[in-house]
Amino acid sequence: MQKTSKSSERRELLIKETLSPRSNNKNTKVLFIHGLESGPTSLKANTLHSHYKNFSCPHLTTPKNIWSSMAKIISEVRNFKPDMIVGSSYGSIILMLLLQFGVWDGPSIILACAMSLVAKHRMYLPLNVDTENIVIIHGLKDT
């Protein structure tokens, strides 16, 4: 029998609650930050929206300008007040910066963070963030 820590049990529960289409997510407010070649009508955005009715995915019209994207997402965080943020690729960079600058410290899912787009030394989880509320999904071939 394997011993599990409370933190690993909590992380597993967060993943199950977040990604399970059967869970009761009707009241959970999810902010999705899309990648460079994506948008609010992408497969990921539509899939998340089908499971979370309280859903927001702002269109990053000038995604190559990271500070413009940051300003738009910071405004959305303040106005929408999400319970969870999901960032994909370029959107994960924005999410990491939100965590680093203290704009967000809640439950987060980081999907295939596009680290090669920015200096790698900037991509870290701050020490003051509860890492038990963060799930990182990154494949060996993700950049």
Side-chain angles (χ1 to χ4, degrees):
M1 185 176 219
Q2 269 188 350
K3 261 189 173 179
T4 58
S5 68
K6 284 196 180 246
S7 64
S8 65
E9 287 174 7
R10 188 172 168 195
R11 183 173 286 121
E12 187 175 321
L13 181 62
L14 175 66
I15 293 169
K16 282 181 182 176
E17 286 178 352
T18 302
L19 301 178
S20 172
R22 290 182 221 107
S23 63
N24 183 4
N25 301 317
K26 292 186 186 336
N27 297 319
T28 302
K29 295 173 82 172
V30 175
L31 172 60
F32 178 63
I33 310 170
H34 66 77
L36 276 179
E37 298 172 2
S38 188
T41 60
S42 69
L43 177 62
K44 287 177 198 161
N46 286 331
T47 301
L48 281 168
H49 194 199
S50 73
H51 297 298
Y52 299 93
K53 299 307 172 202
N54 290 321
F55 178 81
S56 178
C57 179
H59 191 333
L60 302 177
T61 53
T62 55
K64 292 195 177 183
N65 181 338
I66 197 162
W67 301 116
S68 171
S69 297
M70 278 288 290
K72 191 169 204 170
I73 297 301
I74 289 170
S75 176
E76 192 66 11
V77 168
R78 289 184 177 147
N79 294 323
F80 183 62
K81 298 179 182 8
D83 297 309
M84 175 177 53
I85 298 179
V86 179
S88 177
S89 189
Y90 174 79
S92 288
I93 294 171
I94 302 294
L95 178 50
M96 291 284 283
L97 291 171
L98 293 175
L99 292 163
Q100 288 178 18
F101 292 132
V103 174
W104 175 254
D105 65 356
S108 306
I109 297 180
I110 298 168
L111 300 172
C113 190
M115 289 192 252
S116 64
L117 293 177
V118 295
K120 289 185 182 185
H121 68 277
R122 296 277 307 149
M123 296 292 101
Y124 62 90
L125 295 173
L127 295 176
N128 62 334
V129 172
D130 182 2
T131 56
E132 291 183 7
N133 286 328
I134 298 172
V135 176
I136 300 172
I137 301 170
H138 196 85
L140 295 174
K141 295 184 179 181
D142 291 331
T143 58

